[in-house]
């Protein structure tokens, strides 16, 4: 379904629940065209009504929206289902369980009755991993999981293979140590990302700090989590990041009501309400020039702006409307890079982010879940009208985007001077899998490092790990432990492997259409062999793979991407930026899993013959376009082109 701007404004406004939020068919149009009545701004007035009296016709709610309302703030039917003798839970309970940080899975390669197990995802703002938390999840994964851990593309750990009867033990243990799984999944703000580089500079420190502020600001407030997992008791300690941002008085700022509809008349969830958001919501924070977090893929991207001389925080550049998920053969679903919305002074940033979330809450598409992400609202309205919608909630104009340094991509692997006398070390991990397998014993190595050096770590957006605050005298000892456990030094890791990412896919992901994590290492090897054969040994190509079109490994930003669309085939995407600032385009609808070399050789041949000096592969594909590449490949003779 495709919308014109005018009709989409009406449709999106009417899409939220009429049972909870009242909408006028023309209300959003009035706002974005600057006709909002500013003479009446009482607390009873909501931005969803926008001072227009005529309401949209009542319509039935989609099932998922009814379920959220009936759940009594994420309690039912989960609580009841957790106490049954069944090894799994119902579909409705599973939808609610996501908000608690868990997905129900089964091994799709095992025949017979479904063998349900649960994946648990932690919430780790800024990717931070204190040593005590690693010790805990290392033990929990061994005792209650499948024995390994997985680092995600949003800087948090997942534990796989947990049985239903062990969920309470695992989740309560995590909550009681000062961490959480709350909001790691579901239609709420997910784990807040930030650049993983732990430099001791004002800009980087502000980025880490505000990522925790935003994580705390948009946490679900329902007591369901403590009721279900802690028997109604308080956790033994508050969340680590909450303690670290106590000076911001986040709760008071969250509850501040400017009378323009940001805060709902809901004592439990004043920002989310009974229906929470239309879909998941992602926030990323970084500093100018550092795009290690794929910032354009977020619903909200926040860039720290500091005084260039003093380092004092001035404010933030804010971008909106990014997102990766799409559906095969549905052209009204698409990946999208965020738009620059404007600059916000530091004192206003919390209120502006609340306004953006409220705009999506009230006007996001709740009728069609495939079009529920905020990127579709921004795309339909256009950035200027979306900005005006946000301004109607804030009550003031948002300044233009400030010029900042050009974006660069760095995975922050290897040794770096932290800037405070300490070092940090980035350890590459293939596709984020922390395991002991044969001579490769990464899981044991991490535990040894934590136990010996009490290492504080940060998970990176590329599914790898950074050891921070390393005393220079411990450098040799850390390297020795890694080598003893079969971990290759960085100089032995293929650059293509460093630049690659893949989602877990089969056998546990219920959405996977084909392989990703398990086959990606072989694709890295095959691409390296092909590049060597064509005399391109030093070429670095940012390559990503997913088992379905949902985009968990952010494939649509890559220079080269493989998106699963069948048991043995992938869509081929080309032309993403090497610095991750634009989306790629679909080049081939179906590439057989064995056709990598025959597909890529003519494309690389054209790259060799027609690239400009120092032009990256993704930039080349973007410049020449799909049609030119198809034309060249149609007449290419295999083996006829090799780089000089």
């Amino acid at each position: 379904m495709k919308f014109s701007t005018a009709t989409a404004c009406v449709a999106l406004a009417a899409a939220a629940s009429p049972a909870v939020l009242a909408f006028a068919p023309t209300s959003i149009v009035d706002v974005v065209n600057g006709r909002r009545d500013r003479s009446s701004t009482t607390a009873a007035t909501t931005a969803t009504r926008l001072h227009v009296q005529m309401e949209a016709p009542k319509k039935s709610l989609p099932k998922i929206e009814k379920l959220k309302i009936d759940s009594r703030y994420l309690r039912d039917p989960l609580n009841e289902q957790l106490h049954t003798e069944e090894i799994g839970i119902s579909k409705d309970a599973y939808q609610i369980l996501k908000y608690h940080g868990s997905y129900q899975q089964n091994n799709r390669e095992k025949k017979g009755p479904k063998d349900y197990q649960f994946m648990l995802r932690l919430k780790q703002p800024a990717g931070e991993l204190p040593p005590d938390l690693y010790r805990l999840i290392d033990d929990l994964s061994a005792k209650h999981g499948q024995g390994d851990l997985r680092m995600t593309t949003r800087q948090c750990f997942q534990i796989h293979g947990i049985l239903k009867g062990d969920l309470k033990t695992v989740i309560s243990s995590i909550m009681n140590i000062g961490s959480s799984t709350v909001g790691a999944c579901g239609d709420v703000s997910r784990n807040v990302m930030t650049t993983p580089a732990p430099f001791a500079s004002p800009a980087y420190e502000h980025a880490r700090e505000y990522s925790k502020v935003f994580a705390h600001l948009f946490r679900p407030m329902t007591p369901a989590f403590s009721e279900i997992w802690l028997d109604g008791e308080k956790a033994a300690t508050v969340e680590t990041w909450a303690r670290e941002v106590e000076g911001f008085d986040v709760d008071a700022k969250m509850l501040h009501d400017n009378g323009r509809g940001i805060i709902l008349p809901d004592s439990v969830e004043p920002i989310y309400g009974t229906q929470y958001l239309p879909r998941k919501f992602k926030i990323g924070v970084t500093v100018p020039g550092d795009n290690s977090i794929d910032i354009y893929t977020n619903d909200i991207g926040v860039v720290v702006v500091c005084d260039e001389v003093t380092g004092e925080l001035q404010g933030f550049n804010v971008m909106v409307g990014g997102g990766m998920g799409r559906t095969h053969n549905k052209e009204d679903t698409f990946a999208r890079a965020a738009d620059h919305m404007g600059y916000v002074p530091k004192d206003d940033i919390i209120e502006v982010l609340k306004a953006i979330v409220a705009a999506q809450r009230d006007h996001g598409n709740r009728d069609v879940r495939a079009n529920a992400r905020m990127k579709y609202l921004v795309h339909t309205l256009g950035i200027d009208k979306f900005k005006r919608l946000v301004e109607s909630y804030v009550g003031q104009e948002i300044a233009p985007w400030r010029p900042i340094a050009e974006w660069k991509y760095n995975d922050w692997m290897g040794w770096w001077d932290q800037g405070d006398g300490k070092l940090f070390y980035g350890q590459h991990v293939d596709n984020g899998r922390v395991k002991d397998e044969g001579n490769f014993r990464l899981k044991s190595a991490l535990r040894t490092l934590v136990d010996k050096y009490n290492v504080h770590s940060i998970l990176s957006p590329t599914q790898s790990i950074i050891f921070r605050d390393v005393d220079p005298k411990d450098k040799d000892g850390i390297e020795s432990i890694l080598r003893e456990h079969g971990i290759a030094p960085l100089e032995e890791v293929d650059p293509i492997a460093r630049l690659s990412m893949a989602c877990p896919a089969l056998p546990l992901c219920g959405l996977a259409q084909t392989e990703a994590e398990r086959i990606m290492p072989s694709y890295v090897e095959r691409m390296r062999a092909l590049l060597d054969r064509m005399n391109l040994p030093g070429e670095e190509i940012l390559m990503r793979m997913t088992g379905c079109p949902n985009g968990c490994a952010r494939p649509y930003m890559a220079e080269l991407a493989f998106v699963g669309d069948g048991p043995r085939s992938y869509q081929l995407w080309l032309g993403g930026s090497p610095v991750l600032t634009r989306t790629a385009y679909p080049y081939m609808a179906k590439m057989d899993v064995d056709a990598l070399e025959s597909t890529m050789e003519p494309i690389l041949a054209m790259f060799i013959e027609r690239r400009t000096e120092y032009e990256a592969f993704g930039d080349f594909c973007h410049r020449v376009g799909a049609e030119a590449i198809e034309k060249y490949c149609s007449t290419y003779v295999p083996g006829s082109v090799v780089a000089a």
Side-chain angles (χ1 to χ4, degrees):
M1 182 177 181
K2 292 185 177 180
F3 300 95
S4 69
T5 299
T7 57
C9 293
V10 176
L12 288 167
S17 166
V20 177
L21 302 174
F23 295 91
T26 58
S27 61
I28 193 171
V29 181
D30 286 343
V31 168
V32 298
N33 287 325
R35 295 196 298 269
R36 179 172 181 173
D37 175 11
R38 299 182 184 275
S39 63
S40 175
T41 55
T42 63
T45 301
T46 68
T48 56
R49 193 178 300 273
L50 297 181
H51 305 278
V52 180
Q53 299 305 309
M54 183 176 64
E55 295 183 5
K58 301 297 182 183
K59 59 195 299 185
S60 61
L61 284 168
K63 182 179 178 181
I64 187 66
E65 297 297 324
K66 292 178 181 177
L67 178 62
K68 287 188 276 188
I69 293 171
D70 293 342
S71 73
R72 294 190 308 119
Y73 299 103
L74 310 181
R75 295 177 175 90
D76 302 327
L78 175 61
N79 200 22
E80 177 186 349
Q81 287 284 305
L82 288 172
H83 292 90
T84 69
E85 296 299 319
E86 301 294 327
I87 63 171
I89 59 177
S90 69
K91 291 182 179 179
D92 286 351
Y94 170 40
Q95 291 299 324
I96 300 304
L97 179 65
K98 292 178 182 179
Y99 292 81
H100 297 250
S102 183
Y103 282 76
Q104 180 172 255
Q105 299 179 326
N106 73 284
N107 190 329
R108 295 165 58 185
E109 295 177 342
K110 285 187 177 180
K111 298 187 181 298
K114 290 188 175 181
D115 184 18
Y116 286 118
Q117 54 186 281
F118 294 82
M119 177 272 283
L120 190 66
R121 182 181 296 156
L122 274 69
K123 182 177 181 179
Q124 296 170 245
E128 295 191 357
L129 180 69
D132 286 348
L133 178 58
Y134 182 77
R135 292 186 185 97
L136 175 66
I137 61 175
D138 181 52
D139 291 341
L140 291 173
S141 66
K143 186 174 182 180
H144 300 290
Q146 65 181 25
D148 60 5
L149 293 163
R150 196 176 195 281
M151 293 180 276
T152 77
T153 58
R154 289 200 71 80
Q155 298 181 271
C156 53
F157 263 123
Q158 290 180 174
I159 306 173
H160 291 260
I162 302 170
L163 300 181
K164 187 176 89 169
D166 293 333
L167 270 176
K168 188 170 184 176
T169 296
V170 176
I171 293 177
S172 63
S173 298
I174 291 169
M175 293 174 74
N176 279 323
I177 204 172
S179 189
S180 178
T181 64
V182 173
C185 318
D187 297 342
V188 293
S189 176
R190 300 288 188 89
N191 196 52
V192 178
M193 298 175 69
T194 197
T195 167
F199 289 117
S201 71
Y204 278 87
E205 289 170 354
H206 290 312
R208 290 190 291 271
E209 189 173 49
Y210 272 86
S211 67
K212 298 167 191 175
V213 169
F214 301 150
H216 200 50
L217 176 68
F218 294 119
R219 72 195 189 279
M221 299 293 288
T222 172
F225 308 114
S226 60
E227 290 175 6
I228 292 174
W229 308 113
L230 298 174
D231 296 322
E233 300 295 325
K234 289 185 177 181
T237 182
V238 299
E239 294 160 335
T240 303
W241 55 90
R243 292 198 306 270
E244 293 174 348
V245 297
E246 283 179 350
F248 283 83
D249 202 6
V250 174
D251 284 357
K253 292 177 181 177
M254 175 182 64
L255 295 172
H256 169 71
D257 188 354
N258 68 1
R260 304 185 67 84
I262 295 176
I263 299 299
L264 298 174
D266 188 311
S267 61
V268 178
E269 295 285 10
I271 289 182
Y272 290 132
T274 58
Q275 287 178 257
Y276 295 84
L277 297 179
R279 201 69 170 82
K280 60 187 174 184
F281 199 90
K282 298 180 177 181
I283 300 173
V285 186
T286 192
V287 304
D290 183 348
N291 196 19
S292 56
I293 69 168
D294 253 339
I295 193 165
Y296 286 88
T297 65
N298 289 277
D299 292 272
I300 301 176
V302 180
V303 186
V304 171
V305 177
C306 294
D307 184 282
E308 294 182 359
V309 177
T310 66
E312 181 182 356
L313 178 65
Q314 295 179 326
F316 304 86
N317 277 339
V318 177
M319 60 180 73
V320 294
M324 291 288 94
R326 48 177 290 274
T327 304
H328 288 320
N329 303 316
K330 288 189 177 182
E331 292 186 3
D332 60 347
T333 67
F334 45 83
R336 188 178 192 277
D339 292 317
H340 295 174
M341 188 178 76
Y343 169 80
V344 180
K346 63 181 180 182
D347 292 340
D348 297 332
I349 189 63
I350 288 179
E351 200 68 10
V352 169
L353 261 60
K354 286 166 56 181
I356 296 170
V357 170
Q360 163 65 356
R361 176 196 69 204
D362 297 344
H363 301 293
N365 191 339
R366 293 184 186 267
D367 278 342
V368 183
R369 194 160 174 81
N371 296 123
R373 287 289 298 274
M374 194 175 79
K375 64 181 176 179
Y376 297 108
L377 179 60
V378 177
H379 175 80
T380 302
L381 294 180
I383 185 59
D384 291 337
K385 291 183 178 180
F386 181 82
K387 179 180 177 181
R388 273 182 270 169
L389 175 61
V390 173
E391 290 170 342
S392 75
Y393 284 89
V394 178
Q396 63 187 42
E397 292 185 355
I398 295 172
W401 176 278
R402 287 194 178 182
I404 56 174
E406 289 187 3
W407 295 110
K408 295 181 180 179
Y409 172 76
N410 196 321
D411 61 5
W412 301 116
M413 296 293 99
W415 286 105
W416 297 80
D417 186 340
Q418 199 165 277
D420 57 357
K422 299 293 183 67
L423 305 174
F424 70 85
Y425 179 73
Q427 173 61 56
H428 170 76
V429 180
D430 277 343
N431 303 311
R433 188 65 67 176
V434 178
K435 60 185 178 181
D436 286 350
E437 187 175 271
N439 293 327
F440 178 83
R441 296 181 295 126
L442 178 60
K443 193 164 185 280
S444 294
L446 295 183
R447 182 57 180 262
T448 301
L449 289 173
V450 168
D451 286 344
K452 183 172 183 178
Y453 297 108
N454 206 40
V455 170
H456 288 252
S457 303
I458 299 172
L459 303 193
S460 84
T462 55
Q463 304 168 297
S464 293
I465 191 166
I466 290 173
F467 310 132
R468 64 174 299 176
D469 301 327
V470 175
D471 192 311
K473 67 180 177 57
D474 296 329
K475 178 181 176 181
D476 291 343
I478 288 173
E479 289 184 336
S480 177
I481 288 171
L482 292 171
R483 299 299 88 78
E484 289 168 3
H485 287 79
I487 314 304
L490 189 63
E491 55 268 22
E492 295 180 14
V493 177
D494 192 314
I496 294 181
R498 280 181 62 179
L499 290 168
S500 71
M501 290 202 300
C503 69
L506 296 173
L508 295 179
C509 178
L511 299 175
Q513 299 179 26
T514 191
E515 297 283 359
E517 178 187 341
R518 295 191 299 191
I519 203 174
M520 187 57 145
S522 68
Y523 263 50
V524 169
E525 292 175 0
R526 290 165 65 184
M527 275 296 296
R528 173 52 60 202
L530 177 60
L531 289 168
D532 288 347
R533 177 158 56 86
M534 300 185 75
N535 201 28
L536 291 169
E539 200 62 44
E540 298 181 359
I541 299 176
L542 198 153
M543 186 169 75
R544 293 174 177 176
M545 176 183 284
T546 56
C548 81
N550 279 6
C552 293
R554 302 191 289 274
Y556 309 112
M557 302 300 285
E559 296 181 276
L560 171 63
F562 306 94
V563 179
D565 71 340
R568 286 181 53 82
S569 68
Y570 297 91
Q571 287 184 345
L572 183 65
W573 290 66
L574 301 172
S577 166
V579 295
L580 303 168
T581 54
R582 64 170 178 263
T583 56
Y585 56 79
Y587 171 74
M588 181 178 289
K590 282 187 177 292
M591 185 194 81
D592 186 88
V593 67
D594 295 326
L596 174 66
E597 291 82 359
S598 61
T599 301
M600 290 304 303
E601 181 183 337
I603 301 173
L604 290 169
M606 184 181 182
F607 176 56
I608 290 170
E609 290 188 339
R610 303 186 184 180
R611 72 189 296 191
T612 61
E613 189 175 15
Y614 306 122
E615 188 173 30
F617 178 76
D619 289 339
F620 167 80
C621 292
H622 175 72
R623 175 173 61 84
V624 301
E627 185 176 345
I629 295 175
E630 289 173 2
K631 183 177 180 180
Y632 179 94
C633 292
S634 67
T635 60
Y636 175 74
V637 177
S640 61
V641 175
V642 176

